[in-house]
Amino acid sequence: AQKVTQAQTEISVVEKEDVTLDCVYETRDTTYYLFWYKQPPSGELVFLIRRNSFDEQNEISGRYSWNFQKSTSSFNFTITASQVVDSAVYFCALSEALIKAAGNKLTFGGGTRVLVKP
Amino acid sequence: EAQVTQNPRYLITVTGKKLTVTCSQNMNHEYMSWYRQDPGLGLRQIYYSMNVEVTDKGDVPEGYKVSRKEKRNFPLILESPSPNQTSLYFCASSLGVRGGGTDTQYFGPGTRLTVL
């Protein structure tokens, strides 16, 4: 069965500090997809990134970067020079691509709340 | 604008009173799904639908029903709500599961349900 663990329940930083969110996953599939979503205080879920298991290249998008390491089953997310608007709950999620009986199910971690103080 | 909509956004009800939460998407997506979000548990899948008239249980289906009569709509039905169904509910949609791939799911704004 697939599982996602976000060990950090809450992180508090001061504006302009970097913050790294950990995500560790478990799966028996060789083909899978990893996602990060952001949930701001308004409550909606905002898609941030999708990465397949064959692409271990790190990715950078503005102040956001992601470090995918298959060897440690981790997909960590770093916010560089954090801003107050980054305050949100961030979810890591996993989908096993080849188990069609399960459809397109996303298995989510418990989420990490990030509080950026001015 | 491409979006997933849910109604109502907030609902307070009493135990046993049947309710329906609607979900609609305008992206012609094949796949739709319902999740519930509870503190510390992340989101868990309730039901999903891979296409019209094709639905199946997710991880926590007890107490819920769904239907998919049209491609764009995927209502969630609570026939006899109980307090343990108090939660934040999200509908999601994606293009579909094609050739083993997994498409990105886009979520509605959420429905906060309280069952007294």
Side-chain angles (χ1 to χ4, degrees):
Chain A
Q2 54 191 27
K3 183 179 178 182
V4 176
T5 302
Q6 295 179 254
Q8 307 146 307
T9 54
E10 186 164 324
I11 301 175
S12 183
V13 298
V14 177
E15 209 169 17
K16 297 184 184 174
E17 287 183 344
D18 297 349
V19 56
T20 295
L21 311 181
D22 298 332
C23 172
V24 174
Y25 61 91
E26 295 176 28
T27 177
R28 286 180 285 187
D29 256 6
T30 55
T31 303
Y32 51 90
Y33 290 77
L34 295 162
F35 301 80
W36 277 94
Y37 285 87
K38 174 183 179 180
Q39 186 176 44
S42 51
E44 72 272 23
L45 282 163
V46 179
F47 164 72
L48 295 179
I49 189 171
R50 167 178 177 260
R51 175 54 55 88
N52 76 56
S53 53
F54 298 109
D55 182 2
E56 287 193 71
Q57 270 195 323
N58 291 331
E59 181 155 341
I60 298 174
S61 177
R63 295 183 297 105
Y64 293 171
S65 62
W66 290 269
N67 183 340
F68 177 27
Q69 290 198 336
K70 232 170 166 176
S71 58
T72 56
S73 297
S74 64
F75 187 43
N76 296 339
F77 171 34
T78 297
I79 304 172
T80 302
S82 60
Q83 299 176 2
V84 172
V85 292
D86 295 326
S87 296
V89 179
Y90 293 86
F91 290 98
C92 180
L94 165 72
S95 185
E96 290 170 336
L98 296 180
I99 302 179
K100 291 192 177 180
N104 210 17
K105 184 181 81 170
L106 285 170
T107 295
F108 284 82
T112 298
R113 182 178 300 277
V114 173
L115 178 60
V116 182
K117 299 176 183 175
Chain B
E1 181 192 351
Q3 60 182 347
V4 179
T5 57
Q6 295 178 227
N7 282 293
R9 296 289 311 279
Y10 302 90
L11 179 60
I12 300 174
T13 189
V14 295
T15 299
K17 186 175 181 183
K18 181 179 178 179
L19 66 92
T20 299
V21 184
T22 64
C23 172
S24 183
Q25 49 92 6
N26 63 0
M27 297 171 278
N28 202 35
H29 284 171
E30 290 185 356
Y31 182 91
M32 297 185 74
S33 181
W34 277 102
Y35 293 84
R36 60 177 288 173
Q37 181 182 356
D38 301 291
L41 298 177
L43 283 79
R44 294 175 293 167
Q45 191 182 54
I46 303 170
Y47 266 95
Y48 66 92
S49 169
M50 297 179 74
N51 214 325
V52 176
E53 302 292 0
V54 180
T55 63
D56 209 345
K57 297 176 181 178
D59 293 326
V60 288
E62 293 76 22
Y64 304 95
K65 284 176 58 177
V66 293
S67 69
R68 187 91 181 273
K69 294 184 171 55
E70 306 165 279
K71 198 171 188 179
R72 62 183 294 131
N73 297 324
F74 190 45
L76 179 69
I77 303 156
L78 284 72
E79 297 260 351
S80 183
S82 62
N84 64 12
Q85 292 178 297
T86 293
S87 188
L88 178 58
Y89 290 87
F90 287 98
C91 180
S93 74
S94 67
L95 279 172
V97 181
R98 301 170 187 276
T102 298
D103 299 305
T104 298
Q105 291 189 46
Y106 296 94
F107 287 80
T111 295
R112 188 166 292 280
L113 172 66
T114 302
V115 183
L116 302 175

